[in-house]
Amino acid sequence: MGRKNRPRQRSRGLFWQGWGAGYSEIIKENKLFEHYYTELKIVPEGEFEEFMQAMREPLPATMRITGYKSHAKEILHTLKEKYFKEVQDLEVDGQKIEAPQPLSWYPDELAWHTNLSRKILRKSPLLEKFHQFLVSETESVNKNQWNFVPQHKILDMCAAPGSKTAQLIEMLHSDMDIPFPEGFVIANDVDNKRCYLLVHQAKRLNSPCIMVVNHDASSIPRLYFDQDGKKDILFYDRILCDVPCSGDGTMRKNIDVWKKWTTSNSLQLHGLQIRIAVRGVEQLAVGGRMVYSTCSLNPIEDEAVIAALLEKSEGALELADASADLPGLKYMPGITSWKVMTKEGQWFSDWSEVLKSRHTQIRPTMFPPTDPEKLASMKLERCMRILPHHQNTGGFFVAVLVKKAPMPWNRRYPKELQMGECPADAPVEAVEGESPAEGNPSVPDTPDLLEVKKDDVCVPPPPKKMKLFGFKEDPFVFLTEDDPIFPPVQAFYDLSPDFPKLNVLTRTHEGKKRHLYMVSKELRNVLLNNSERMKVINTGVKIWSRNTDGEQFGCAFRLAQEGVYTLCPYIRARILNISVEDVKVLLTQENPFLSKLGDDAHNQAKKLGMGSIVLRYLPDPKDLNAPQCPIDLCGWRGKTSIRAFVPRNERLHYLRMVGVEVFRDKQGKRNDGSTEIPEGNVLAGCQTQLMPLYPNIPKTVNMESINREKVYINIFRICSFLYCPRL
């Protein structure tokens, strides 16, 4: 969906969305909206009232099971066998709860919908367990089905807050036996602050194949990488171009769109959407696919952008028929005729009708092509518009473009140079990947011509240094072959000889290295060749963290849960095989004695020295009641005890996989008898959620004796810490 109206982020495991509370005062009426879409006729004849009624109804709760494919199957089993059975046939506020149903067009039953609204889920005591499960396992993700393989290089141009990026990463890691897929995802966003939301979302996927960068998507830099000893341009096999949009397809959940909607929103965004799409297809490999999408129903943001792109491409692009990829999805084909309306309600059917005074607001590319032959060749009917009343969804638009040849301005010689001069007979080679100069698509950006001219051809002045905004990021420093910190780590964990230690990096040049991260070989290639061309916010997955206590046991670095699935294929020591019952003990008790483990695990543990270990559960095909997927947990073998270093949300996730229900009642009591801070306490809830991310947040006083003034003071202290974390 477009970036303007995106849902907030939740924790890992599921995507669910629904009706937000607090919007009852907004009247869901907009006469201009109704008049506009009645005239455009994007809704089939006789269905407009049904369409408008659906737009006014709350969006039903939907969920998508995420994570590694084998883990997702275990969560699906838990949902089907427990939670779905508990909620079906209930009646809440006079409304009968229907059994959740799988989305027909989404593969493997990994996406479901219900007739529940988010308000009902939050308020009803009968649904409290189901609601807690959803909140704990939630992740907001768009429903895009992509046809790509783990070798593909992928660019997400407008990625924040990262829901779609997370789904792309999941597909790269669909096979858990491949720790380093050859492909990668570069996720970009223009907003520096939103990039950190993107990092938080991507980190939960624990992938070494993700890089978050901060650039304007319409001018995202061309990147290079080494291939067979030669520096080549990086072209992407798949690009997601989910552009900023007016978001009128999200009225069912973003209720304020009703009062803010006007046609001027689309007119203002049209030019930006074209620029972003043009930059995307320039960076797309020949034979690659780019998905252009919006959560707007407006053809000015949809078909008009696609038509302009196809016309500029001169046959280099074509619309793909993607209907077979999602056989159960109901959609309307793209339209080939539309008009343009001003915010005052004035209509124009053709560019020739537009007054000169309107030329800055309305552009020729907003109208459909006038040549019937050219219009027919574009096959705009292959675009897909999802209408809310057809499948009880939000509104959405998607088009799949295939690149058949280089873009025309990358094949021609430029007619003139804007910087410097060259002899008339000097051959100037235009390289694909350059952005066309404003108003002249045949003129590439001149700074990059420096890299392709020959010695006897004059060149323009060197480009200006890239301006960077937002926080200054720490440098990415790769370990060298002879780095002294690595031999003790390699010996302690008995890493296999094929461990790619050159892919290990830190975030500091000086002082002790606190954390060690890992990226895939391909991302290392990109980082080393483009450090001055792009602003990298974050990349890789944390695999080790410094632990001073570990030095006495032979290794100063303990394993990090984030990178355990990346590291485990290379670790040949420090592995403790555990049973389902051992998993339950380790995740429900803080620091259990070794004797609490089963006999087999206990005997193994006694043979292990103190320090960081891997706690590994392997499925037993004969025990169908136990999880049928492997589970790896980071742990610490103490003198007489053993503990799991697993974040709280992941603990809950794994406990549910092994059949332990973690549920808090109104008094904050957990089902295992321990006590947690009640969810109703705002400050306590803030601390509970933020402590894992910001361990230095000041602690508050006793929650039972705290008064209102102290609550406000401590909330202010927490917020101040978040906005000024470096102070």
Side-chain angles (χ1 to χ4, degrees):
M1 64 174 63
R3 290 179 52 242
K4 187 174 180 179
N5 297 301
R6 296 180 189 251
R8 294 181 63 188
Q9 301 312 293
R10 300 283 183 180
S11 55
R12 61 171 299 192
L14 287 170
F15 153 65
W16 74 292
Q17 63 180 24
W19 186 252
Y23 289 103
S24 57
E25 71 280 3
I26 296 179
I27 299 173
K28 294 183 279 294
E29 295 286 346
N30 189 306
K31 295 300 181 184
L32 187 65
F33 175 86
E34 294 187 43
H35 171 63
Y36 184 70
Y37 283 112
T38 301
E39 286 291 320
L40 287 182
K41 295 181 173 56
I42 66 165
V43 180
E45 189 175 351
E47 297 182 16
F48 195 80
E49 287 303 318
E50 188 183 355
F51 164 75
M52 289 304 303
Q53 182 61 31
M55 293 291 277
R56 295 187 182 100
E57 290 294 322
L59 194 65
T62 58
M63 63 196 78
R64 188 182 73 81
I65 303 169
T66 68
Y68 289 115
K69 196 166 186 179
S70 56
H71 287 194
K73 288 181 179 178
E74 294 297 328
I75 292 296
L76 175 59
H77 178 76
T78 302
L79 275 170
K80 281 183 171 181
E81 298 301 316
K82 182 172 179 58
Y83 292 100
F84 287 172
K85 290 182 178 180
E86 289 182 358
V87 301
Q88 67 184 16
D89 299 326
L90 288 178
E91 190 169 308
V92 180
D93 296 338
Q95 177 184 354
K96 186 177 179 181
I97 306 302
E98 298 174 359
Q101 297 295 322
L103 295 177
S104 60
W105 52 269
Y106 203 92
D108 302 325
E109 291 191 339
L110 294 180
W112 293 71
H113 68 94
T114 76
N115 67 331
L116 294 167
S117 72
R118 186 172 180 177
K119 184 177 180 180
I120 292 177
L121 276 170
R122 293 173 61 184
K123 299 296 183 182
S124 173
L126 297 173
L127 299 170
E128 189 172 354
K129 289 185 179 181
F130 188 42
H131 176 247
Q132 287 194 19
F133 173 81
L134 291 176
V135 169
S136 177
E137 295 283 346
T138 275
E139 180 171 336
S140 178
V141 182
N142 259 343
K143 307 175 189 66
N144 295 325
Q145 175 65 12
W146 282 56
N147 178 25
F148 67 84
V149 295
Q151 291 77 31
H152 281 161
K153 304 173 185 68
I154 306 162
L155 172 65
D156 190 350
M157 300 187 73
C158 307
S163 54
K164 299 173 303 301
T165 306
Q167 193 172 2
L168 297 175
I169 297 169
E170 290 170 29
M171 292 182 178
L172 280 181
H173 290 276
S174 57
D175 188 347
M176 289 182 66
D177 295 329
I178 304 177
F180 288 102
E182 292 182 21
F184 56 79
V185 176
I186 294 181
N188 173 72
D189 201 83
V190 67
D191 190 319
N192 184 259
K193 293 179 181 178
R194 287 169 65 88
C195 281
Y196 293 95
L197 293 176
L198 181 56
V199 170
H200 177 61
Q201 178 85 314
K203 274 187 173 181
R204 294 202 303 270
L205 275 295
N206 304 331
S207 171
C209 304
I210 172 69
M211 179 188 294
V212 177
V213 299
N214 179 205
H215 292 280
D216 179 350
S218 64
S219 57
I220 190 169
R222 185 181 69 183
L223 303 182
Y224 296 87
F225 71 113
D226 286 330
Q227 187 168 5
D228 300 326
K230 177 186 175 184
K231 183 175 286 191
D232 286 336
I233 301 169
L234 173 61
F235 291 111
Y236 301 94
D237 302 293
R238 297 289 185 269
I239 293 179
L240 176 57
C241 185
D242 185 50
V243 295
C245 69
S246 60
D248 59 16
T250 68
M251 283 180 165
R252 299 185 69 180
K253 64 177 179 179
N254 296 307
I255 316 301
D256 57 341
V257 178
W258 281 99
K259 62 180 181 180
K260 294 180 179 178
W261 188 91
T262 173
T263 55
S264 62
N265 296 337
S266 297
L267 300 180
Q268 292 167 5
L269 286 166
H270 174 82
L272 174 63
Q273 291 163 341
I274 289 181
R275 291 195 298 274
I276 293 175
V278 166
R279 192 54 178 160
V281 294
E282 285 176 338
Q283 304 227 18
L284 186 65
V286 173
R289 289 188 167 205
M290 184 178 87
V291 170
Y292 175 88
S293 62
T294 74
C295 51
S296 169
L297 302 174
N298 199 325
I300 307 302
E301 304 177 62
D302 300 338
E303 285 92 346
V305 174
I306 297 299
L309 202 58
L310 291 170
E311 189 163 7
K312 287 175 182 289
S313 76
E314 298 179 6
L317 300 173
E318 76 172 17
L319 270 171
D321 183 358
S323 58
D325 295 334
L326 300 168
L329 179 65
K330 297 178 183 178
Y331 68 92
M332 293 299 298
I335 60 177
T336 57
S337 175
W338 62 88
K339 298 182 289 185
V340 177
M341 187 178 80
T342 65
K343 65 179 180 180
E344 295 83 14
Q346 184 179 5
W347 288 95
F348 299 104
S349 299
D350 187 78
W351 168 247
S352 61
E353 301 174 3
V354 182
L355 301 175
K356 286 189 177 180
S357 59
R358 296 276 189 180
H359 282 189
T360 56
Q361 304 166 14
I362 300 176
R363 305 298 303 151
T365 52
M366 296 177 181
F367 296 90
T370 54
D371 184 346
E373 216 173 289
K374 181 184 291 185
L375 182 61
S377 68
M378 290 181 176
K379 300 178 181 176
L380 292 178
E381 65 277 3
R382 290 183 174 179
C383 299
M384 297 186 290
R385 179 177 279 102
I386 292 90
L387 298 179
H389 66 293
H390 283 168
Q391 241 171 201
N392 201 10
T393 64
F396 201 71
F397 176 87
V398 62
V400 181
L401 293 154
V402 178
K403 190 171 183 179
K404 312 295 287 185
M407 301 305 288
W409 52 87
N410 302 129
R411 302 194 298 263
R412 293 194 290 259
Y413 292 164
K415 297 176 182 177
E416 56 181 298
L417 293 177
Q418 295 176 332
M419 301 169 59
E421 295 181 355
C422 288
D425 58 347
V428 181
E429 181 184 356
V431 176
E432 186 181 0
E434 299 301 327
S435 294
E438 185 72 25
N440 187 358
S442 66
V443 182
D445 292 336
T446 50
D448 283 305
L449 291 175
L450 283 168
E451 303 175 34
V452 296
K453 289 179 180 294
K454 299 181 180 179
D455 295 337
D456 59 344
V457 180
C458 56
V459 296
K464 294 180 180 179
K465 188 175 181 181
M466 181 176 63
K467 291 182 180 180
L468 299 179
F469 303 94
F471 291 118
K472 182 179 180 182
E473 295 297 325
D474 295 328
F476 293 89
V477 184
F478 285 95
L479 296 189
T480 59
E481 283 279 4
D482 55 352
D483 195 303
I485 73 167
F486 190 73
V489 175
Q490 187 169 23
F492 187 75
Y493 295 101
D494 189 19
L495 299 178
S496 59
D498 59 339
F499 177 75
K501 69 177 182 180
L502 292 180
N503 295 5
V504 179
L505 56 86
T506 65
R507 297 298 300 268
T508 179
H509 279 293
E510 301 174 355
K512 283 190 174 182
K513 299 174 176 63
R514 293 179 54 202
H515 304 292
L516 299 180
Y517 303 85
M518 177 167 281
V519 296
S520 64
K521 179 181 68 174
E522 288 73 19
L523 273 189
R524 180 181 187 273
N525 192 338
V526 174
L527 274 169
L528 291 177
N529 285 286
N530 301 280
S531 59
E532 299 300 320
R533 299 183 63 86
M534 61 181 180
K535 181 181 179 182
V536 180
I537 301 296
N538 197 276
T539 190
V541 59
K542 182 165 65 176
I543 52 175
W544 283 295
S545 293
R546 181 173 288 278
N547 186 295
T548 307
D549 294 338
E551 292 185 4
Q552 59 183 307
F553 309 127
C555 181
F557 288 89
R558 70 169 180 85
L559 295 165
Q561 180 65 30
E562 297 96 306
V564 68
Y565 289 103
T566 300
L567 270 183
C568 274
Y570 303 101
I571 294 178
R572 300 183 296 185
R574 312 293 303 169
I575 297 174
L576 177 61
N577 292 305
I578 57 177
S579 66
V580 170
E581 294 304 315
D582 295 329
V583 173
K584 296 176 183 178
V585 169
L586 290 163
L587 294 181
T588 56
Q589 300 184 30
E590 186 64 26
N591 201 18
F593 288 109
L594 296 177
S595 58
K596 293 287 186 74
L597 300 176
D599 292 341
D600 187 33
H602 188 191
N603 292 331
Q604 293 178 61
K606 288 191 292 187
K607 298 176 184 178
L608 286 173
M610 295 172 64
S612 184
I613 59 173
V614 176
L615 302 163
R616 174 170 294 169
Y617 163 78
L618 295 175
D620 181 1
K622 298 178 182 178
D623 185 3
L624 298 180
N625 293 322
Q628 295 301 301
C629 65
I631 298 174
D632 287 330
L633 308 174
C634 288
W636 184 271
R637 202 295 201 187
K639 188 175 182 180
T640 60
S641 63
I642 195 164
R643 68 180 301 179
F645 282 107
V646 181
R648 178 179 177 275
N649 281 342
E650 289 199 45
R651 281 178 181 255
L652 301 181
H653 171 74
Y654 287 122
L655 281 172
R656 289 191 177 97
M657 285 178 60
V658 296
V660 176
E661 179 182 1
V662 183
F663 169 68
R664 285 172 287 180
D665 60 21
K666 294 296 184 183
Q667 286 73 42
K669 296 280 187 179
R670 285 200 325 205
N671 66 332
D672 61 0
S674 61
T675 303
E676 292 187 338
I677 302 171
E679 287 186 319
N681 190 307
V682 176
L683 176 58
C686 288
Q687 282 191 310
T688 302
Q689 295 297 322
L690 298 174
M691 284 298 294
L693 298 177
Y694 300 95
N696 296 324
I697 289 179
K699 309 295 188 299
T700 187
V701 296
N702 189 326
M703 299 307 301
E704 295 180 359
S705 61
I706 197 168
N707 58 34
R708 185 180 298 273
E709 181 181 358
K710 289 179 180 178
V711 168
Y712 290 146
I713 291 173
N714 280 279
I715 288 177
F716 175 78
R717 291 168 67 199
I718 290 174
C719 293
S720 299
F721 182 86
L722 290 180
Y723 282 103
C724 307
R726 298 170 185 265
L727 297 181

